[in-house]
mmCIF file with all atom_site columns, all heavy atoms in Angstrom:
data_model
loop_
_atom_site.group_PDB
_atom_site.id
_atom_site.type_symbol
_atom_site.label_atom_id
_atom_site.label_alt_id
_atom_site.label_comp_id
_atom_site.label_asym_id
_atom_site.label_entity_id
_atom_site.label_seq_id
_atom_site.pdbx_PDB_ins_code
_atom_site.Cartn_x
_atom_site.Cartn_y
_atom_site.Cartn_z
_atom_site.occupancy
_atom_site.B_iso_or_equiv
_atom_site.pdbx_formal_charge
_atom_site.auth_seq_id
_atom_site.auth_comp_id
_atom_site.auth_asym_id
_atom_site.auth_atom_id
_atom_site.pdbx_PDB_model_num
ATOM 1   N N   . ASN X 1 1  ? 88.665  135.231 107.819 1.00 0.00 ? 113 ASN X N   1
ATOM 2   C CA  . ASN X 1 1  ? 87.213  135.255 107.997 1.00 0.00 ? 113 ASN X CA  1
ATOM 3   C C   . ASN X 1 1  ? 86.594  133.889 107.721 1.00 0.00 ? 113 ASN X C   1
ATOM 4   O O   . ASN X 1 1  ? 85.629  133.481 108.374 1.00 0.00 ? 113 ASN X O   1
ATOM 5   C CB  . ASN X 1 1  ? 86.576  136.330 107.110 1.00 0.00 ? 113 ASN X CB  1
ATOM 6   C CG  . ASN X 1 1  ? 86.762  136.058 105.618 1.00 0.00 ? 113 ASN X CG  1
ATOM 7   O OD1 . ASN X 1 1  ? 87.822  135.603 105.190 1.00 0.00 ? 113 ASN X OD1 1
ATOM 8   N ND2 . ASN X 1 1  ? 85.757  136.360 104.824 1.00 0.00 ? 113 ASN X ND2 1
ATOM 9   N N   . ILE X 1 2  ? 87.172  133.143 106.769 1.00 0.00 ? 114 ILE X N   1
ATOM 10  C CA  . ILE X 1 2  ? 86.673  131.800 106.478 1.00 0.00 ? 114 ILE X CA  1
ATOM 11  C C   . ILE X 1 2  ? 87.061  130.850 107.597 1.00 0.00 ? 114 ILE X C   1
ATOM 12  O O   . ILE X 1 2  ? 86.273  129.990 108.015 1.00 0.00 ? 114 ILE X O   1
ATOM 13  C CB  . ILE X 1 2  ? 87.207  131.314 105.115 1.00 0.00 ? 114 ILE X CB  1
ATOM 14  C CG1 . ILE X 1 2  ? 86.613  132.163 103.991 1.00 0.00 ? 114 ILE X CG1 1
ATOM 15  C CG2 . ILE X 1 2  ? 86.893  129.834 104.898 1.00 0.00 ? 114 ILE X CG2 1
ATOM 16  C CD1 . ILE X 1 2  ? 87.113  131.812 102.607 1.00 0.00 ? 114 ILE X CD1 1
ATOM 17  N N   . VAL X 1 3  ? 88.288  130.986 108.125 1.00 0.00 ? 115 VAL X N   1
ATOM 18  C CA  . VAL X 1 3  ? 88.729  130.138 109.231 1.00 0.00 ? 115 VAL X CA  1
ATOM 19  C C   . VAL X 1 3  ? 87.796  130.296 110.429 1.00 0.00 ? 115 VAL X C   1
ATOM 20  O O   . VAL X 1 3  ? 87.310  129.321 111.008 1.00 0.00 ? 115 VAL X O   1
ATOM 21  C CB  . VAL X 1 3  ? 90.183  130.468 109.633 1.00 0.00 ? 115 VAL X CB  1
ATOM 22  C CG1 . VAL X 1 3  ? 90.567  129.729 110.913 1.00 0.00 ? 115 VAL X CG1 1
ATOM 23  C CG2 . VAL X 1 3  ? 91.137  130.091 108.504 1.00 0.00 ? 115 VAL X CG2 1
ATOM 24  N N   . LYS X 1 4  ? 87.526  131.539 110.811 1.00 0.00 ? 116 LYS X N   1
ATOM 25  C CA  . LYS X 1 4  ? 86.664  131.778 111.974 1.00 0.00 ? 116 LYS X CA  1
ATOM 26  C C   . LYS X 1 4  ? 85.243  131.280 111.725 1.00 0.00 ? 116 LYS X C   1
ATOM 27  O O   . LYS X 1 4  ? 84.619  130.703 112.623 1.00 0.00 ? 116 LYS X O   1
ATOM 28  C CB  . LYS X 1 4  ? 86.646  133.271 112.315 1.00 0.00 ? 116 LYS X CB  1
ATOM 29  C CG  . LYS X 1 4  ? 87.935  133.765 112.948 1.00 0.00 ? 116 LYS X CG  1
ATOM 30  C CD  . LYS X 1 4  ? 87.804  135.172 113.495 1.00 0.00 ? 116 LYS X CD  1
ATOM 31  C CE  . LYS X 1 4  ? 87.773  136.186 112.389 1.00 0.00 ? 116 LYS X CE  1
ATOM 32  N NZ  . LYS X 1 4  ? 87.822  137.584 112.928 1.00 0.00 ? 116 LYS X NZ  1
ATOM 33  N N   . GLU X 1 5  ? 84.735  131.485 110.534 1.00 0.00 ? 117 GLU X N   1
ATOM 34  C CA  . GLU X 1 5  ? 83.360  131.108 110.225 1.00 0.00 ? 117 GLU X CA  1
ATOM 35  C C   . GLU X 1 5  ? 83.169  129.593 110.251 1.00 0.00 ? 117 GLU X C   1
ATOM 36  O O   . GLU X 1 5  ? 82.173  129.099 110.792 1.00 0.00 ? 117 GLU X O   1
ATOM 37  C CB  . GLU X 1 5  ? 82.971  131.655 108.851 1.00 0.00 ? 117 GLU X CB  1
ATOM 38  C CG  . GLU X 1 5  ? 81.568  131.273 108.404 1.00 0.00 ? 117 GLU X CG  1
ATOM 39  C CD  . GLU X 1 5  ? 81.279  131.778 107.000 1.00 0.00 ? 117 GLU X CD  1
ATOM 40  O OE1 . GLU X 1 5  ? 81.769  132.864 106.642 1.00 0.00 ? 117 GLU X OE1 1
ATOM 41  O OE2 . GLU X 1 5  ? 80.571  131.076 106.277 1.00 0.00 ? 117 GLU X OE2 1
ATOM 42  N N   . ILE X 1 6  ? 84.121  128.853 109.699 1.00 0.00 ? 118 ILE X N   1
ATOM 43  C CA  . ILE X 1 6  ? 83.966  127.397 109.588 1.00 0.00 ? 118 ILE X CA  1
ATOM 44  C C   . ILE X 1 6  ? 84.523  126.673 110.813 1.00 0.00 ? 118 ILE X C   1
ATOM 45  O O   . ILE X 1 6  ? 83.881  125.772 111.367 1.00 0.00 ? 118 ILE X O   1
ATOM 46  C CB  . ILE X 1 6  ? 84.665  126.872 108.318 1.00 0.00 ? 118 ILE X CB  1
ATOM 47  C CG1 . ILE X 1 6  ? 84.063  127.521 107.070 1.00 0.00 ? 118 ILE X CG1 1
ATOM 48  C CG2 . ILE X 1 6  ? 84.560  125.349 108.240 1.00 0.00 ? 118 ILE X CG2 1
ATOM 49  C CD1 . ILE X 1 6  ? 82.591  127.237 106.862 1.00 0.00 ? 118 ILE X CD1 1
ATOM 50  N N   . TYR X 1 7  ? 85.693  127.069 111.271 1.00 0.00 ? 119 TYR X N   1
ATOM 51  C CA  . TYR X 1 7  ? 86.418  126.290 112.272 1.00 0.00 ? 119 TYR X CA  1
ATOM 52  C C   . TYR X 1 7  ? 86.356  126.871 113.681 1.00 0.00 ? 119 TYR X C   1
ATOM 53  O O   . TYR X 1 7  ? 86.697  126.180 114.639 1.00 0.00 ? 119 TYR X O   1
ATOM 54  C CB  . TYR X 1 7  ? 87.889  126.169 111.868 1.00 0.00 ? 119 TYR X CB  1
ATOM 55  C CG  . TYR X 1 7  ? 88.114  125.513 110.529 1.00 0.00 ? 119 TYR X CG  1
ATOM 56  C CD1 . TYR X 1 7  ? 88.378  126.271 109.391 1.00 0.00 ? 119 TYR X CD1 1
ATOM 57  C CD2 . TYR X 1 7  ? 88.075  124.120 110.405 1.00 0.00 ? 119 TYR X CD2 1
ATOM 58  C CE1 . TYR X 1 7  ? 88.598  125.669 108.169 1.00 0.00 ? 119 TYR X CE1 1
ATOM 59  C CE2 . TYR X 1 7  ? 88.295  123.512 109.174 1.00 0.00 ? 119 TYR X CE2 1
ATOM 60  C CZ  . TYR X 1 7  ? 88.552  124.296 108.061 1.00 0.00 ? 119 TYR X CZ  1
ATOM 61  O OH  . TYR X 1 7  ? 88.772  123.700 106.845 1.00 0.00 ? 119 TYR X OH  1
ATOM 62  N N   . GLY X 1 8  ? 85.981  128.133 113.814 1.00 0.00 ? 120 GLY X N   1
ATOM 63  C CA  . GLY X 1 8  ? 85.947  128.750 115.132 1.00 0.00 ? 120 GLY X CA  1
ATOM 64  C C   . GLY X 1 8  ? 87.234  129.485 115.468 1.00 0.00 ? 120 GLY X C   1
ATOM 65  O O   . GLY X 1 8  ? 88.260  129.348 114.796 1.00 0.00 ? 120 GLY X O   1
ATOM 66  N N   . GLU X 1 9  ? 87.186  130.273 116.531 1.00 0.00 ? 121 GLU X N   1
ATOM 67  C CA  . GLU X 1 9  ? 88.304  131.136 116.925 1.00 0.00 ? 121 GLU X CA  1
ATOM 68  C C   . GLU X 1 9  ? 89.583  130.358 117.227 1.00 0.00 ? 121 GLU X C   1
ATOM 69  O O   . GLU X 1 9  ? 90.691  130.794 116.915 1.00 0.00 ? 121 GLU X O   1
ATOM 70  C CB  . GLU X 1 9  ? 87.914  131.959 118.152 1.00 0.00 ? 121 GLU X CB  1
ATOM 71  C CG  . GLU X 1 9  ? 86.840  133.011 117.895 1.00 0.00 ? 121 GLU X CG  1
ATOM 72  C CD  . GLU X 1 9  ? 87.400  134.254 117.224 1.00 0.00 ? 121 GLU X CD  1
ATOM 73  O OE1 . GLU X 1 9  ? 88.633  134.417 117.222 1.00 0.00 ? 121 GLU X OE1 1
ATOM 74  O OE2 . GLU X 1 9  ? 86.594  135.058 116.724 1.00 0.00 ? 121 GLU X OE2 1
ATOM 75  N N   . ASP X 1 10 ? 89.467  129.189 117.875 1.00 0.00 ? 122 ASP X N   1
ATOM 76  C CA  . ASP X 1 10 ? 90.657  128.426 118.266 1.00 0.00 ? 122 ASP X CA  1
ATOM 77  C C   . ASP X 1 10 ? 91.486  128.002 117.060 1.00 0.00 ? 122 ASP X C   1
ATOM 78  O O   . ASP X 1 10 ? 92.695  127.783 117.179 1.00 0.00 ? 122 ASP X O   1
ATOM 79  C CB  . ASP X 1 10 ? 90.253  127.193 119.079 1.00 0.00 ? 122 ASP X CB  1
ATOM 80  C CG  . ASP X 1 10 ? 89.653  127.573 120.432 1.00 0.00 ? 122 ASP X CG  1
ATOM 81  O OD1 . ASP X 1 10 ? 90.348  128.244 121.209 1.00 0.00 ? 122 ASP X OD1 1
ATOM 82  O OD2 . ASP X 1 10 ? 88.488  127.216 120.676 1.00 0.00 ? 122 ASP X OD2 1
ATOM 83  N N   . ALA X 1 11 ? 90.846  127.877 115.901 1.00 0.00 ? 123 ALA X N   1
ATOM 84  C CA  . ALA X 1 11 ? 91.555  127.415 114.706 1.00 0.00 ? 123 ALA X CA  1
ATOM 85  C C   . ALA X 1 11 ? 92.473  128.473 114.122 1.00 0.00 ? 123 ALA X C   1
ATOM 86  O O   . ALA X 1 11 ? 93.311  128.152 113.269 1.00 0.00 ? 123 ALA X O   1
ATOM 87  C CB  . ALA X 1 11 ? 90.545  126.967 113.651 1.00 0.00 ? 123 ALA X CB  1
ATOM 88  N N   . LEU X 1 12 ? 92.353  129.721 114.558 1.00 0.00 ? 124 LEU X N   1
ATOM 89  C CA  . LEU X 1 12 ? 93.230  130.766 114.021 1.00 0.00 ? 124 LEU X CA  1
ATOM 90  C C   . LEU X 1 12 ? 94.704  130.460 114.294 1.00 0.00 ? 124 LEU X C   1
ATOM 91  O O   . LEU X 1 12 ? 95.577  130.897 113.546 1.00 0.00 ? 124 LEU X O   1
ATOM 92  C CB  . LEU X 1 12 ? 92.852  132.126 114.597 1.00 0.00 ? 124 LEU X CB  1
ATOM 93  C CG  . LEU X 1 12 ? 91.535  132.720 114.066 1.00 0.00 ? 124 LEU X CG  1
ATOM 94  C CD1 . LEU X 1 12 ? 91.158  133.958 114.857 1.00 0.00 ? 124 LEU X CD1 1
ATOM 95  C CD2 . LEU X 1 12 ? 91.647  133.042 112.579 1.00 0.00 ? 124 LEU X CD2 1
ATOM 96  N N   . LEU X 1 13 ? 94.980  129.702 115.368 1.00 0.00 ? 125 LEU X N   1
ATOM 97  C CA  . LEU X 1 13 ? 96.365  129.293 115.641 1.00 0.00 ? 125 LEU X CA  1
ATOM 98  C C   . LEU X 1 13 ? 96.921  128.412 114.531 1.00 0.00 ? 125 LEU X C   1
ATOM 99  O O   . LEU X 1 13 ? 98.128  128.326 114.331 1.00 0.00 ? 125 LEU X O   1
ATOM 100 C CB  . LEU X 1 13 ? 96.444  128.538 116.966 1.00 0.00 ? 125 LEU X CB  1
ATOM 101 C CG  . LEU X 1 13 ? 96.607  129.353 118.250 1.00 0.00 ? 125 LEU X CG  1
ATOM 102 C CD1 . LEU X 1 13 ? 96.563  128.422 119.458 1.00 0.00 ? 125 LEU X CD1 1
ATOM 103 C CD2 . LEU X 1 13 ? 97.904  130.136 118.226 1.00 0.00 ? 125 LEU X CD2 1
ATOM 104 N N   . LEU X 1 14 ? 96.040  127.733 113.814 1.00 0.00 ? 126 LEU X N   1
ATOM 105 C CA  . LEU X 1 14 ? 96.451  126.797 112.770 1.00 0.00 ? 126 LEU X CA  1
ATOM 106 C C   . LEU X 1 14 ? 96.546  127.473 111.404 1.00 0.00 ? 126 LEU X C   1
ATOM 107 O O   . LEU X 1 14 ? 96.851  126.812 110.416 1.00 0.00 ? 126 LEU X O   1
ATOM 108 C CB  . LEU X 1 14 ? 95.465  125.631 112.700 1.00 0.00 ? 126 LEU X CB  1
ATOM 109 C CG  . LEU X 1 14 ? 95.228  124.902 114.031 1.00 0.00 ? 126 LEU X CG  1
ATOM 110 C CD1 . LEU X 1 14 ? 94.113  123.872 113.885 1.00 0.00 ? 126 LEU X CD1 1
ATOM 111 C CD2 . LEU X 1 14 ? 96.514  124.240 114.526 1.00 0.00 ? 126 LEU X CD2 1
ATOM 112 N N   . ALA X 1 15 ? 96.290  128.779 111.361 1.00 0.00 ? 127 ALA X N   1
ATOM 113 C CA  . ALA X 1 15 ? 96.412  129.551 110.120 1.00 0.00 ? 127 ALA X CA  1
ATOM 114 C C   . ALA X 1 15 ? 97.748  130.288 110.147 1.00 0.00 ? 127 ALA X C   1
ATOM 115 O O   . ALA X 1 15 ? 97.916  131.244 110.909 1.00 0.00 ? 127 ALA X O   1
ATOM 116 C CB  . ALA X 1 15 ? 95.252  130.535 110.001 1.00 0.00 ? 127 ALA X CB  1
ATOM 117 N N   . PRO X 1 16 ? 98.743  129.876 109.365 1.00 0.00 ? 128 PRO X N   1
ATOM 118 C CA  . PRO X 1 16 ? 100.095 130.450 109.457 1.00 0.00 ? 128 PRO X CA  1
ATOM 119 C C   . PRO X 1 16 ? 100.202 131.916 109.074 1.00 0.00 ? 128 PRO X C   1
ATOM 120 O O   . PRO X 1 16 ? 101.169 132.582 109.439 1.00 0.00 ? 128 PRO X O   1
ATOM 121 C CB  . PRO X 1 16 ? 100.911 129.577 108.492 1.00 0.00 ? 128 PRO X CB  1
ATOM 122 C CG  . PRO X 1 16 ? 100.123 128.328 108.336 1.00 0.00 ? 128 PRO X CG  1
ATOM 123 C CD  . PRO X 1 16 ? 98.694  128.736 108.450 1.00 0.00 ? 128 PRO X CD  1
ATOM 124 N N   . GLY X 1 17 ? 99.238  132.425 108.311 1.00 0.00 ? 129 GLY X N   1
ATOM 125 C CA  . GLY X 1 17 ? 99.328  133.831 107.915 1.00 0.00 ? 129 GLY X CA  1
ATOM 126 C C   . GLY X 1 17 ? 100.443 134.070 106.912 1.00 0.00 ? 129 GLY X C   1
ATOM 127 O O   . GLY X 1 17 ? 100.763 133.208 106.089 1.00 0.00 ? 129 GLY X O   1
ATOM 128 N N   . ASN X 1 18 ? 101.089 135.229 106.995 1.00 0.00 ? 130 ASN X N   1
ATOM 129 C CA  . ASN X 1 18 ? 102.103 135.603 106.007 1.00 0.00 ? 130 ASN X CA  1
ATOM 130 C C   . ASN X 1 18 ? 103.470 134.974 106.267 1.00 0.00 ? 130 ASN X C   1
ATOM 131 O O   . ASN X 1 18 ? 104.266 134.815 105.347 1.00 0.00 ? 130 ASN X O   1
ATOM 132 C CB  . ASN X 1 18 ? 102.244 137.128 105.962 1.00 0.00 ? 130 ASN X CB  1
ATOM 133 C CG  . ASN X 1 18 ? 100.988 137.803 105.442 1.00 0.00 ? 130 ASN X CG  1
ATOM 134 O OD1 . ASN X 1 18 ? 100.303 137.255 104.580 1.00 0.00 ? 130 ASN X OD1 1
ATOM 135 N ND2 . ASN X 1 18 ? 100.681 138.982 105.966 1.00 0.00 ? 130 ASN X ND2 1
ATOM 136 N N   . ASP X 1 19 ? 103.764 134.637 107.513 1.00 0.00 ? 131 ASP X N   1
ATOM 137 C CA  . ASP X 1 19 ? 105.071 134.052 107.836 1.00 0.00 ? 131 ASP X CA  1
ATOM 138 C C   . ASP X 1 19 ? 104.896 132.563 108.125 1.00 0.00 ? 131 ASP X C   1
ATOM 139 O O   . ASP X 1 19 ? 104.868 132.114 109.271 1.00 0.00 ? 131 ASP X O   1
ATOM 140 C CB  . ASP X 1 19 ? 105.701 134.762 109.031 1.00 0.00 ? 131 ASP X CB  1
ATOM 141 C CG  . ASP X 1 19 ? 107.205 134.502 109.131 1.00 0.00 ? 131 ASP X CG  1
ATOM 142 O OD1 . ASP X 1 19 ? 107.668 133.521 108.514 1.00 0.00 ? 131 ASP X OD1 1
ATOM 143 O OD2 . ASP X 1 19 ? 107.899 135.265 109.823 1.00 0.00 ? 131 ASP X OD2 1
ATOM 144 N N   . ILE X 1 20 ? 104.786 131.801 107.061 1.00 0.00 ? 132 ILE X N   1
ATOM 145 C CA  . ILE X 1 20 ? 104.483 130.373 107.189 1.00 0.00 ? 132 ILE X CA  1
ATOM 146 C C   . ILE X 1 20 ? 105.619 129.644 107.892 1.00 0.00 ? 132 ILE X C   1
ATOM 147 O O   . ILE X 1 20 ? 105.382 128.826 108.789 1.00 0.00 ? 132 ILE X O   1
ATOM 148 C CB  . ILE X 1 20 ? 104.230 129.767 105.790 1.00 0.00 ? 132 ILE X CB  1
ATOM 149 C CG1 . ILE X 1 20 ? 103.029 130.454 105.132 1.00 0.00 ? 132 ILE X CG1 1
ATOM 150 C CG2 . ILE X 1 20 ? 103.994 128.267 105.893 1.00 0.00 ? 132 ILE X CG2 1
ATOM 151 C CD1 . ILE X 1 20 ? 102.831 130.076 103.682 1.00 0.00 ? 132 ILE X CD1 1
ATOM 152 N N   . ALA X 1 21 ? 106.856 129.932 107.506 1.00 0.00 ? 133 ALA X N   1
ATOM 153 C CA  . ALA X 1 21 ? 108.000 129.223 108.084 1.00 0.00 ? 133 ALA X CA  1
ATOM 154 C C   . ALA X 1 21 ? 108.082 129.436 109.592 1.00 0.00 ? 133 ALA X C   1
ATOM 155 O O   . ALA X 1 21 ? 108.338 128.508 110.355 1.00 0.00 ? 133 ALA X O   1
ATOM 156 C CB  . ALA X 1 21 ? 109.296 129.670 107.408 1.00 0.00 ? 133 ALA X CB  1
ATOM 157 N N   . ALA X 1 22 ? 107.857 130.678 110.041 1.00 0.00 ? 134 ALA X N   1
ATOM 158 C CA  . ALA X 1 22 ? 107.937 130.974 111.476 1.00 0.00 ? 134 ALA X CA  1
ATOM 159 C C   . ALA X 1 22 ? 106.861 130.230 112.243 1.00 0.00 ? 134 ALA X C   1
ATOM 160 O O   . ALA X 1 22 ? 107.118 129.697 113.339 1.00 0.00 ? 134 ALA X O   1
ATOM 161 C CB  . ALA X 1 22 ? 107.819 132.475 111.708 1.00 0.00 ? 134 ALA X CB  1
ATOM 162 N N   . ARG X 1 23 ? 105.627 130.172 111.690 1.00 0.00 ? 135 ARG X N   1
ATOM 163 C CA  . ARG X 1 23 ? 104.555 129.475 112.388 1.00 0.00 ? 135 ARG X CA  1
ATOM 164 C C   . ARG X 1 23 ? 104.820 127.968 112.440 1.00 0.00 ? 135 ARG X C   1
ATOM 165 O O   . ARG X 1 23 ? 104.591 127.335 113.466 1.00 0.00 ? 135 ARG X O   1
ATOM 166 C CB  . ARG X 1 23 ? 103.215 129.757 111.707 1.00 0.00 ? 135 ARG X CB  1
ATOM 167 C CG  . ARG X 1 23 ? 102.011 129.114 112.401 1.00 0.00 ? 135 ARG X CG  1
ATOM 168 C CD  . ARG X 1 23 ? 101.817 129.569 113.837 1.00 0.00 ? 135 ARG X CD  1
ATOM 169 N NE  . ARG X 1 23 ? 101.609 131.000 113.919 1.00 0.00 ? 135 ARG X NE  1
ATOM 170 C CZ  . ARG X 1 23 ? 100.410 131.576 113.839 1.00 0.00 ? 135 ARG X CZ  1
ATOM 171 N NH1 . ARG X 1 23 ? 99.320  130.829 113.686 1.00 0.00 ? 135 ARG X NH1 1
ATOM 172 N NH2 . ARG X 1 23 ? 100.298 132.883 113.922 1.00 0.00 ? 135 ARG X NH2 1
ATOM 173 N N   . VAL X 1 24 ? 105.303 127.402 111.349 1.00 0.00 ? 136 VAL X N   1
ATOM 174 C CA  . VAL X 1 24 ? 105.616 125.968 111.338 1.00 0.00 ? 136 VAL X CA  1
ATOM 175 C C   . VAL X 1 24 ? 106.735 125.668 112.331 1.00 0.00 ? 136 VAL X C   1
ATOM 176 O O   . VAL X 1 24 ? 106.685 124.659 113.055 1.00 0.00 ? 136 VAL X O   1
ATOM 177 C CB  . VAL X 1 24 ? 105.989 125.509 109.911 1.00 0.00 ? 136 VAL X CB  1
ATOM 178 C CG1 . VAL X 1 24 ? 106.539 124.084 109.935 1.00 0.00 ? 136 VAL X CG1 1
ATOM 179 C CG2 . VAL X 1 24 ? 104.761 125.578 108.993 1.00 0.00 ? 136 VAL X CG2 1
#
């Protein structure tokens, strides 16, 4: 919710979530 509020929807790709290694 903070990512979307500050950075916008496109930034959600840059939020690794629970599986950090897989996203990196």
Side-chain angles (χ1 to χ4, degrees):
N113 64 321
I114 293 178
V115 172
K116 287 190 286 187
E117 178 183 325
I118 300 299
Y119 301 100
E121 292 281 345
D122 293 301
L124 288 171
L125 274 176
L126 306 173
N130 294 326
D131 198 341
I132 299 171
R135 182 60 60 89
V136 171

